[in-house]
């Protein structure tokens, strides 16, 4: 099948997406939309995209577009996703899916009512390392998973105009990168039934540093940390009753996993060529070919669980976005 994509917002992640598309069979980008026609033309020239629009609306209304990739700022995800769904398009929406669970549920409800595909772009879930991780845990090689520890942090200078530091754009460490350690905990332990969280809220009103301890049904514990002001190891360890698995930096896109049991340590090469975003594109194509409106690897129920957890953590920190 030939899946024709429209991309909203020609930013850095959209460039990576376009690079990844060159390594995927059965799909191509046919339209790019920006608030600036000049930027759309530049992006179109760079990636050989025929449709260039000076608005997002024109992309979702383009009859040649089958699927819309929403790569706009966090605060626009709900608006742009709903517009695409209303136009009958399938949607891959960048993470975080929405600013909060309520927005995410409106998006999911609209997609289900329209009968179109919708998925949050948590690309880690589709990488070879994560697929291998799930298989190793499923085989019981490290026993029952009891503890997941993961962190993701880097340093950026405070800039109120940057999306990372602007509450009106849905900024903050938690939604931007904290979702990666959280999704790993959820993948292996399920949703938490209670949590404690602390953090540092900066002058612009967003969380610059956050840490949480999650308790999961059955007694599993998740320990997650994220920061946009403090560098971290960006690694993860999954500890079970009979061993553990290490994910090297960067834990959200590792090129290997190391499994340690009583028999010793085994490092498994999970490297790949090109940009890892290509694997989530493959997933969208697979689902569409099968007539599915959700991914079983990253279903909407999982998106709701992650959003609810982040809502709770933000509530503990007192971080509120405009309009909430």
């Amino acid at each position: 099948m030939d899946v024709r994509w429209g991309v909203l917002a020609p930013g850095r992640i959209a460039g990576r997406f376009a690079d990844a598309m060159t390594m995927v069979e059965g799909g191509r980008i046919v339209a790019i939309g920006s608030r600036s026609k000049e930027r759309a033309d530049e992006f179109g020239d760079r990636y050989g995209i025929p449709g260039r629009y000076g608005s997002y609306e024109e992309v979702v209304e383009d009859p040649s577009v089958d699927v819309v990739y929403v790569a706009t700022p966090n605060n626009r995800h709900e608006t742009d996703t709903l517009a695409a769904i209303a136009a009958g398009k399938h949607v891959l929406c960048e993470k975080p899916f929405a600013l909060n669970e309520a927005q995410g549920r409106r998006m999911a409800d609209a997609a289900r009512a329209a009968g179109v595909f919708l998925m949050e772009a948590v690309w880690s879930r589709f990488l070879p390392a994560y697929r291998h991780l799930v298989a190793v845990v499923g085989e019981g090689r490290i026993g029952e998973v009891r503890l997941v520890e993961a962190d993701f942090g880097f340093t950026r200078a405070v800039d109120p105009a940057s999306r990372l530091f602007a509450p009106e754009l849905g900024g903050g460490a938690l939604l931007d990168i904290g979702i990666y350690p959280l999704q790993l905990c959820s993948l292996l332990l399920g949703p938490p039934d209670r949590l404690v969280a602390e953090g540092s809220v900066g002058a612009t009103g967003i969380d610059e540093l956050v840490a949480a301890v999650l308790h999961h049904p059955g007694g599993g514990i998740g320990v997650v940390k994220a920061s946009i002001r403090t560098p971290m190891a960006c690694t993860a360890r999954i500890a079970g009753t009979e061993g553990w698995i290490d994910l090297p930096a960067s834990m959200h896109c590792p090129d290997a996993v190391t499994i340690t049991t009583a028999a010793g340590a085994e490092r498994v090469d999970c490297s790949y060529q090109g940009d890892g975003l290509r694997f989530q594109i493959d997933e969208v194509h697979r689902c569409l070919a099968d007539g599915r409106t959700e991914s079983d690897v990253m279903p909407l129920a999982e998106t709701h669980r992650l959003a609810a957890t982040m809502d709770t953590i933000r509530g503990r920190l007192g971080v509120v976005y405009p309009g909430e």
Side-chain angles (χ1 to χ4, degrees), residues 81-195:
T81 295
L82 290 177
I85 291 170
K89 312 299 186 186
H90 306 293
V91 179
L92 174 65
C93 181
E94 255 310 321
K95 59 84 201 158
F97 192 66
L99 295 184
N100 51 51
E101 186 188 14
Q103 287 187 358
R105 288 199 176 275
R106 288 194 291 268
M107 294 154 69
D109 289 346
R112 290 179 177 127
V116 298
F117 176 85
L118 178 61
M119 187 179 85
E120 182 177 17
V122 181
W123 63 298
S124 302
R125 292 281 178 102
F126 306 98
L127 295 173
Y130 272 72
R131 293 299 185 100
H132 190 74
L133 166 66
V134 169
V136 168
V137 170
E139 291 164 4
R141 288 183 59 187
I142 64 166
E144 180 186 358
V145 175
R146 302 294 293 162
L147 175 66
V148 177
E149 299 174 276
D151 62 58
F152 192 167
F154 52 76
T155 299
R156 291 287 186 275
V158 176
D159 178 5
S162 166
R163 66 174 183 84
L164 287 175
F165 293 92
E168 66 273 14
L169 298 179
L174 180 63
L175 264 63
D176 197 70
I177 56 177
I179 189 173
Y180 288 116
L182 283 173
Q183 66 82 28
L184 180 62
C185 292
S186 186
L187 174 66
L188 298 172
L189 296 171
D193 53 12
R194 62 180 185 270
L195 64 84

Side-chain angles (χ1 to χ4, degrees), residues 56-87:
Y56 303 141
E57 292 77 14
E58 290 172 284
V59 173
V60 303
E61 295 296 339
D62 186 333
S64 71
V65 172
D66 302 312
V67 189
V68 172
Y69 173 53
V70 176
T72 51
N74 299 345
N75 65 309
R76 288 198 56 100
H77 286 183
E78 180 188 20
T79 297
D80 295 330
T81 295
L82 290 177
I85 291 170

Side-chain angles (χ1 to χ4, degrees), residues 17-41:
F17 183 86
D19 288 333
M21 187 66 73
T22 65
M23 306 192 73
V24 173
E25 294 183 0
R28 55 195 171 99
I29 301 174
V30 299
I32 173 67
S34 173
R35 289 171 294 182
S36 162
K37 180 62 162 57
E38 181 180 4
R39 289 193 66 207
D41 285 335

Side-chain angles (χ1 to χ4, degrees), residues 238-254:
I238 299 95
T241 53
E242 297 178 26
W244 65 87
I245 301 171
D246 287 314
L247 300 183
S250 295
M251 56 75 52
H252 69 300
C253 56

Side-chain angles (χ1 to χ4, degrees), residues 175-294:
L175 264 63
D176 197 70
I177 56 177
I179 189 173
Y180 288 116
L182 283 173
Q183 66 82 28
L184 180 62
C185 292
S186 186
L187 174 66
L188 298 172
L189 296 171
D193 53 12
R194 62 180 185 270
L195 64 84
V196 293
E198 288 290 346
S200 174
V201 178
T204 64
I206 56 86
D207 53 293
E208 297 181 350
L209 170 66
V210 60
V213 178
L214 318 173
H215 181 276
H216 297 260
I221 299 295
V223 180
V224 300
K225 294 169 285 183
S227 178
I228 54 176
R229 294 286 290 146
T230 306
M232 294 181 176
C234 302
T235 58
R237 172 168 287 188
I238 299 95
T241 53
E242 297 178 26
W244 65 87
I245 301 171
D246 287 314
L247 300 183
S250 295
M251 56 75 52
H252 69 300
C253 56
D255 61 2
V257 299
T258 300
I259 304 118
T260 303
T261 63
E266 176 193 6
R267 182 184 186 276
V268 179
D269 181 12
C270 298
S271 58
Y272 50 86
Q273 293 183 334
D275 197 298
L277 296 185
R278 73 188 223 232
F279 299 106
Q280 68 179 359
I281 300 173
D282 282 332
E283 174 71 0
V284 176
H285 290 178
R286 180 186 72 84
C287 290
L288 294 181
D290 292 344
R292 299 174 60 91
T293 56
E294 290 189 41

